[in-house]
Amino acid sequence: TSVYAQNDGSWVDETSPSAAESETGKILLAAEQLTAEAGGVVLRLSALYGNGRLALRDRLLNGTARLPADGRRMLNQIHHQDAVSAIGFLLNRNDAGGEVFNVSDDDPASYHEIFAWLCEKYDRPMPPSAAEESPQKRGLTNKRVCNKKLRALGWRPLFPSFREGYAAAQK
């Protein structure tokens, strides 16, 4: 989803302008164009997380977590099992060629919301605020990624939000 440059907290879907500003986003847009020209399916994945990939939780537990700025910036995520299920779901369809799909959970959340939930779950204090480092690899975006197009085909995430995904994760 790095192809979306929106920074105002707005919702984006597959019809939203894709005008990547980060180098990663530009590379992804070029790859999308090649895929579309070949009649392939483009999947725009949100930040992957799951067992072995729980950076926010791990930083909170090891004391290195920092709340970016005021914590209001949105984070869009997808559990790695849900990413795999979306790929399998679309591979088994004959009508998805040339289409673009956002693969994201149902509930974008702010950094503040995620850390507040993690702090309660692990009985830890809220991490201190820190200025955001810029530029980041994927840029400083602030958007909510909509997955309704994929859900309209019948796909459902096993982990509809970070809460279910993080709750299911092993320590």
Side-chain angles (χ1 to χ4, degrees):
T1 58
S2 298
V3 300
Y4 299 117
Q6 287 78 354
N7 253 336
D8 59 359
S10 62
W11 282 94
V12 295
D13 65 18
E14 294 82 355
T15 65
S16 299
S18 51
E21 295 174 356
S22 70
E23 191 61 31
T24 300
K26 291 175 185 175
I27 292 167
L28 290 172
L29 277 176
E32 284 186 6
Q33 183 174 1
L34 291 172
T35 301
E37 289 169 0
V41 178
V42 171
L43 303 180
R44 293 178 174 168
L45 275 68
S46 289
L48 287 167
Y49 77 99
N51 288 341
R53 194 176 174 121
L54 297 163
L56 297 179
R57 183 205 64 185
D58 294 347
R59 286 186 213 138
L60 179 72
L61 295 179
N62 72 23
T64 61
R66 298 295 176 263
L67 188 63
D70 61 6
R72 287 189 278 177
R73 191 163 58 88
M74 301 303 292
L75 179 62
N76 300 275
Q77 302 181 92
I78 185 72
H79 192 281
H80 64 85
Q81 290 178 2
D82 287 330
V84 170
S85 80
I87 293 166
F89 178 83
L90 290 167
L91 280 173
N92 290 314
R93 295 188 65 93
N94 294 324
D95 60 349
E99 294 286 330
V100 175
F101 295 93
N102 288 334
V103 181
S104 193
D105 71 19
D106 295 339
D107 190 21
S110 70
Y111 278 89
H112 186 275
E113 184 179 357
I114 295 167
F115 274 121
W117 186 88
L118 288 168
C119 289
E120 184 174 323
K121 178 174 175 51
Y122 293 103
D123 194 29
R124 300 290 171 103
M126 198 70 165
S129 294
E132 299 215 54
E133 296 177 20
S134 186
Q136 292 182 343
K137 183 179 177 183
R138 289 177 181 84
L140 291 177
T141 63
N142 180 26
K143 61 190 172 272
R144 292 172 167 91
V145 176
C146 178
N147 67 8
K148 287 182 182 176
K149 181 177 177 181
L150 183 56
R151 287 184 63 87
L153 294 178
W155 174 81
R156 299 289 179 268
L158 180 61
F159 305 101
S161 80
F162 74 90
R163 293 170 197 82
E164 293 85 5
Y166 274 76
Q170 299 173 356
K171 278 194 171 184

